[in-house]
Amino acid sequence: MPQTPHVEKHFTASEAVRDVVIGMSDGLTVPFALAAGLSGAVEATWIIITAGLAEVAAGAIAMGLGGYLAARTDAEHYASERAREERETREVPETEAAEVADVLRSYGLEGDAVAGVVRAIRSDPKRWVDFMMRFELGLEEPDPRRAGRSALTIALAYVAGGLVPLTPYFFAPTARQGLVWSAVVTLVALLAFGYVKGRFTTARPWRSAWQTALVGGLAATAAFAIAKLIA
């Protein structure tokens, strides 16, 4: 009988999603908290808009730079560890071979099976180092273009998120009305973003939705209360 081929579908863009989550979550909450705080101290919407746009620009640059440096650090760490493993396979091959055997035994292999696999891995220096990097150190080779993509993704996500709470202030006649509209729009955006994020990262997207909205709401409430106390 013909059988339907088994096709496994796995989500493989975890790094890109992580960058979007980092940028969008901060973009939604930080400018919202700033605008809410200023709304408790000033009445002119143009002041809030100006300060908010400046924060979005500065935040996008800072977050993007942080993502770039983090990705570069990962790449440099991988290169350093790989160079060390290459040196050790040349200088202390028996010790490294014993480490390969230990890894194989942790997966249930024993006796002659371990010895045969160790010999096969040792026969190819590159494959040997690849094995040690992945199974001993748990490191995967980073994409060399990762740093630039990460910086751009985080920065754009931050801008997209940051414009959500600021947009109502362009149309509101007063800062108080702008705050109300901004709170509603941002709450909906936080819920939607939390749900989508949960669909990619957890098995409980609705819990992710309300947790994301709760964090953003608490941040805005705290900023608004502080501004009222100072003003």
Side-chain angles (χ1 to χ4, degrees):
M1 291 180 61
Q3 295 182 347
T4 301
H6 173 64
V7 178
E8 293 189 358
K9 295 182 179 180
H10 297 284
F11 181 68
T12 57
S14 59
E15 290 182 340
V17 169
R18 182 185 63 186
D19 291 341
V20 171
V21 168
I22 291 172
M24 185 70 75
S25 59
D26 277 13
L28 283 169
T29 55
V30 176
F32 180 33
L34 172 65
L38 289 175
S39 296
V42 301
E43 286 296 328
T45 56
W46 69 267
I47 296 178
I48 298 172
I49 293 171
T50 302
L53 291 177
E55 196 287 324
V56 168
I61 293 171
M63 294 289 291
L65 179 59
Y68 178 85
L69 293 176
R72 288 294 302 166
T73 298
D74 288 343
E76 291 169 0
H77 174 64
Y78 181 89
S80 174
E81 290 297 319
R82 187 174 184 89
R84 182 175 64 82
E85 287 295 335
E86 290 173 347
R87 184 174 64 254
E88 290 178 350
T89 56
R90 292 193 304 268
E91 297 177 356
V92 286
E94 297 306 321
T95 300
E96 292 297 294
E99 292 177 355
V100 172
D102 289 339
V103 171
L104 295 173
R105 292 190 188 98
S106 72
Y107 283 91
L109 273 69
E110 296 292 343
D112 293 340
V114 172
V117 175
V118 170
R119 284 195 299 271
I121 292 175
R122 291 186 64 174
S123 66
D124 185 336
K126 181 181 182 303
R127 183 170 56 188
W128 191 358
V129 174
D130 289 342
F131 180 91
M132 300 304 289
M133 293 297 293
R134 177 173 297 179
F135 294 101
E136 183 194 22
L137 302 180
L139 297 176
E140 297 284 348
E141 183 175 7
D143 185 336
R145 297 170 297 178
R146 163 78 180 142
R149 284 206 301 259
S150 178
L152 183 61
T153 301
I154 292 175
L156 291 178
Y158 191 95
V159 172
L163 291 177
V164 171
L166 293 179
T167 300
Y169 288 94
F170 284 92
F171 306 100
T174 66
R176 290 301 180 90
Q177 291 183 4
L179 174 60
V180 173
W181 297 350
S182 177
V184 173
V185 170
T186 305
L187 178 61
V188 172
L190 285 168
L191 287 169
F193 170 66
Y195 181 84
V196 173
K197 179 184 69 172
R199 292 282 295 177
F200 284 108
T201 59
T202 72
R204 305 175 71 176
W206 283 112
R207 184 177 69 174
S208 173
W210 71 257
Q211 286 178 338
T212 303
L214 179 62
V215 170
L218 289 175
T221 301
F224 182 80
I226 292 171
K228 288 294 289 183
L229 288 174
I230 295 174

